[in-house]
Amino acid sequence: MKRENISIELLVLSDGNPRLDPSLGEDEAIFNMINDQKDKLFELASDIVKYGLNPLDTIGVYPSETYRGYYEVGEGNRRICALKILISPERIQHINGSLYSKFLLLSKEYPLPNSVEVGVFKDENSMRHWMEIRHMGEQNGKGLSKWNSIQKARFNRMQTGSDALLDFWDWLIANNILTKSEISSITKTNWQRILREKYFPFLKIQYDGSYSVLPKDIDVFTYRIKEIQKKLDGQTVAIVYDQIRIEEFFNSVSNVLYGKPYQEVISEESEPINTLPIQETDVNDKTKGINDFSTSQGASASGTMIGEGDDSTLTQTNSDAKQPIPRDVFNGCRTIIPYGYPIRTKNMRLNKIINELKKINADEYPNACGTLLRTLFELSAKVYLEKQSGENYTETEFSPAIKKAANLLREQGYINNSQHSAICSDIENLRKIFNGYMHNTECYPSSEALKNFFKCHCAFIKGCLK
């Protein structure tokens, strides 16, 4: 096999494509392909014009015995068919009017290739083994091995930085609630079926794009999820196949643990689960200092926690005594960012940093957390500035980047005057999170100080990531 660039006009669709019924000539092959693939063929064409042909997937051809100087397509008929329609949309005008219109618009919007790189084989027989490898399944290992649902989720998390179910599993393992083996004993489908909103009150779970459990509810959650794991261990989807069986399943769990249906348990819960998001209010001017480093060279953050003023979360006036107090998800949290704290961005690297700060125990790994937090502040500011101006801020130093981002955020209404003052007055302290102990052999970051830096300036970070 040798690789060559060949004109698309010289490539002929196969009459005997196993994907389709046998055809007489290329026009019938296109007709059969349209009837088989429909809109999927247009999606393929859209991807090709936007990104090009997949370099990991070679188109295989061999010299045509019917048409001298032409090549028959053995592997890649869908791709070549999509390109041929893009070049000449009128070929399907009377086959599928809707697809014709879509292909016509697409062909006008993007430049189209005249030739493609293909692998040229001696004849059809020399391709058969590789076509078998490509299309006939795993074949005990020699064929292509498709990703299962968990492997696909892992790939998606690599691209986006987050996957709700995988992140939840990691949290279960990190907090010694379930082991990796116990989690793996339950199929992904069964996990998805039990993690439904209706059952969150019983499970003590909150969901805002990711699953989380408040610190005060972890013991109850652990007690219930362990019983659920026992009942689902090694079970097929039949045990929670439909809503009736899922309902029966949760009642059986509740009866084992409490001797009553789960709805009765929920109704008897003395304190309903809080689903209110963290409230971001003014940073109060009456702030408390926090310890930064273990030596006198350390700095202290000047801001108070966003969402907290003096003692507003501790006391209530008579007029609002009946109003629920928003819970502090930071209270008792061992990580820099609480697991359920709602903060996301489209930037893959920043998402990974955020996820690591939600998983790493700051008390045990303050140095790693300090470096990550310093990076989160700087990269968030620079990503925000680059989006605003289109300029490159890679070489901009930390302090100017933070200050300029803070100024723009205030102008655009993402942070208020108090929050702006807090971040600006803390720029030097933030810089020392990294520099202070990197250059000094006797300094190291305090985990409580690191947690408080994020608490005080989470509005700044979230504003940069919007």
Side-chain angles (χ1 to χ4, degrees), residues 370-386:
T371 304
L372 283 171
L373 184 59
R374 164 66 157 72
T375 305
L376 177 63
F377 270 98
E378 182 165 353
L379 289 187
S380 296
K382 290 182 176 180
V383 165
Y384 169 67
L385 291 173
E386 288 176 357

Side-chain angles (χ1 to χ4, degrees), residues 281-310:
T281 60
D282 290 356
V283 177
N284 201 288
D285 290 333
K286 299 178 182 178
T287 60
K288 293 182 179 181
I290 57 175
N291 294 325
D292 186 5
F293 302 115
S294 62
T295 72
S296 60
Q297 298 180 21
S300 62
S302 62
T304 55
M305 176 181 174
I306 304 305
E308 291 191 2
D310 303 322

